[in-house]
């Protein structure tokens, strides 16, 4: 994946995490927005990250948005870090060892 697309995903991840925080801004109505945002965030996560990683992240995103009080977890940004920082360093080590 080229570098530009990688950082586009980071910007989208930050944006989607901010959207998840909206429920804290509007008392009462905010939790109602989670009913819509929880499945939407799960769907977006599975489209942004393919394969089993995306499916697992989608389930985690759904649970995080659906459960009251867990909205503060930046799920999209954490997934981006996992996909492009932590996983890529493991892949580099594997290619060096071979």
């Amino acid at each position: 994946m080229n570098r530009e697309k990688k950082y586009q995903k980071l910007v989208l991840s930050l944006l989607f995490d901010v959207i998840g925080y909206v429920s804290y801004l509007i008392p009462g109505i905010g939790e109602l927005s989670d009913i819509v945002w929880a499945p939407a965030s799960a769907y977006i996560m599975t489209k942004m990250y393919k394969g089993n990683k995306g499916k697992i992240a989608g389930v985690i995103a759904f649970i995080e948005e659906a459960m009251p009080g867990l909205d503060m977890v930046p799920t999209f940004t954490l997934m981006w870090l996992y996909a492009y920082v932590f996983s890529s360093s493991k892949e580099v080590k594997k290619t060096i060892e071979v």
Side-chain angles (χ1 to χ4, degrees):
M1 174 175 286
N2 66 19
R3 193 176 168 123
E4 184 178 316
K5 195 164 188 174
K6 173 181 170 180
Y7 289 108
Q8 284 177 342
K9 276 192 177 181
L10 175 60
V11 170
L12 285 173
S13 294
L14 293 168
L15 175 68
F16 293 141
D17 283 333
V18 168
I19 290 170
Y21 296 143
V22 167
S23 64
Y24 286 115
L25 297 176
I26 309 167
I29 298 173
E31 291 302 323
L32 184 63
S33 70
D34 286 342
I35 293 171
V36 174
W37 180 242
S41 68
Y43 177 77
I44 293 168
M45 186 73 82
T46 59
K47 294 302 176 187
M48 283 179 70
Y49 301 98
K50 302 294 181 194
N52 287 335
K53 289 180 186 178
K55 291 175 186 174
I56 293 168
V59 169
I60 292 170
F62 179 83
I63 292 169
E64 181 257 330
E65 290 296 336
M67 297 293 292
L70 292 180
D71 288 350
M72 68 184 97
V73 178
T75 311
F76 282 92
T77 305
L78 290 174
M79 182 58 187
W80 185 89
L81 287 170
Y82 174 75
Y84 295 107
V85 176
F86 301 118
S87 291
S88 62
S89 64
K90 290 178 185 176
E91 291 173 11
V92 170
K93 288 178 185 177
K94 285 181 184 177
T95 58
I96 292 172
E97 291 175 6
V98 174

